[in-house]
Amino acid sequence: MFYNIEDETVSIRIKAQPNASKSEFCEVYGEDAIKIRIKAPAVEGAANKELVKFLAKSFKVSKSDILFKTGQSSKIKIVAFPLNDTFKEWIEKTKEI
């Protein structure tokens, strides 16, 4: 499973793919990560900034609430943010795919 919920906090394991034509969720990558295409290049932290912006907009949380637990300089990252209804709804939709 690519996400973990603990104490009202969600941790997601992400396989980031920078330099995409647009930022978007893709498929589940293996069994323990979700692939996310990121519009920004992997230069000087631009892809990480775009990833934070994308996740904040997608899950309706503040950019400052999104924290990198691991992988700031890696394609495989773990990010954490507060659990909310938007994430719960997204998970339900993701299970249907």
Side-chain angles (χ1 to χ4, degrees), residues 22-45:
K22 66 179 184 175
S23 294
E24 63 184 345
F25 291 103
C26 298
E27 68 275 359
V28 174
Y29 184 79
E31 291 185 16
D32 63 348
I34 186 159
K35 184 175 178 182
I36 300 178
R37 291 187 182 114
I38 303 298
K39 186 174 182 175
V43 178
E44 297 178 7

Side-chain angles (χ1 to χ4, degrees), residues 11-23:
S11 296
I12 301 179
R13 187 175 176 94
I14 296 168
K15 161 68 165 87
Q17 180 186 347
N19 278 337
S21 59
K22 66 179 184 175
S23 294

Side-chain angles (χ1 to χ4, degrees), residues 23-80:
S23 294
E24 63 184 345
F25 291 103
C26 298
E27 68 275 359
V28 174
Y29 184 79
E31 291 185 16
D32 63 348
I34 186 159
K35 184 175 178 182
I36 300 178
R37 291 187 182 114
I38 303 298
K39 186 174 182 175
V43 178
E44 297 178 7
N48 284 345
K49 288 178 187 174
E50 181 66 25
L51 176 62
V52 168
K53 182 179 167 184
F54 176 72
L55 292 173
K57 184 176 179 183
S58 297
F59 298 125
K60 295 181 174 67
V61 296
S62 167
K63 289 188 274 189
S64 62
D65 284 341
I66 297 175
L67 305 172
F68 283 90
K69 292 175 88 175
T70 64
Q72 278 192 294
S73 59
S74 172
K75 289 185 179 185
I76 303 291
K77 305 167 183 309
I78 297 177
V79 297

